[in-house]
Amino acid sequence: MSWHSILVFPPAAVLVALTPGANNLLALSNGMRSGSRAAVGGLLGRLAAFAVLLTLAVAGLEALLAASRVAFEVVRWLGVGYLVYLGIRTIVRPGLMLGAAGLLATAKAPS
């Protein structure tokens, strides 16, 4: 990545992250359902994950994945495995259910 790209990419990525989308709707939903602490906690977690992704992109992970089909397949199947794990955990975990609005809600009443 050129120095120009390194200087332009982070602000552009932050701008894209701030646009309305799934993450912002999730923060709004968490805030309405569980209060501002839950919304801020989720926001900080998403920002931490975004910082890791941004660092990996600037460090050249994209170039590595483009150059190595094996590395791409390893990262892809690790992602598949993680999503399968999350799906199984969501189905098996007894304290969670899918609400009428399609949002994940706790089975017990809020206190």
Side-chain angles (χ1 to χ4, degrees):
M1 211 180 241
S2 70
W3 282 106
H4 179 265
S5 296
I6 291 173
L7 293 175
V8 171
F9 180 69
V14 169
L15 182 64
V16 168
L18 293 175
T19 58
N23 284 336
N24 292 334
L25 289 175
L26 178 62
L28 179 65
S29 172
N30 287 343
M32 289 173 34
R33 186 180 61 231
S34 303
S36 60
R37 287 184 82 135
V40 170
L43 175 67
L44 293 176
R46 287 187 299 279
L47 287 175
F50 183 70
V52 169
L53 290 174
L54 190 64
T55 302
L56 290 173
V58 170
L61 181 65
E62 183 272 334
L64 171 69
L65 295 178
S68 172
R69 183 166 181 89
V70 172
F72 175 78
E73 290 296 325
V74 167
V75 170
R76 186 175 83 148
W77 284 105
L78 284 172
V80 168
Y82 180 65
L83 291 175
V84 167
Y85 162 75
L86 288 177
I88 291 171
R89 192 182 81 176
T90 301
I91 292 169
V92 172
R93 194 166 167 190
L96 298 176
M97 65 180 188
L98 194 57
L103 302 172
L104 207 52
T106 59
K108 61 182 180 181
S111 51

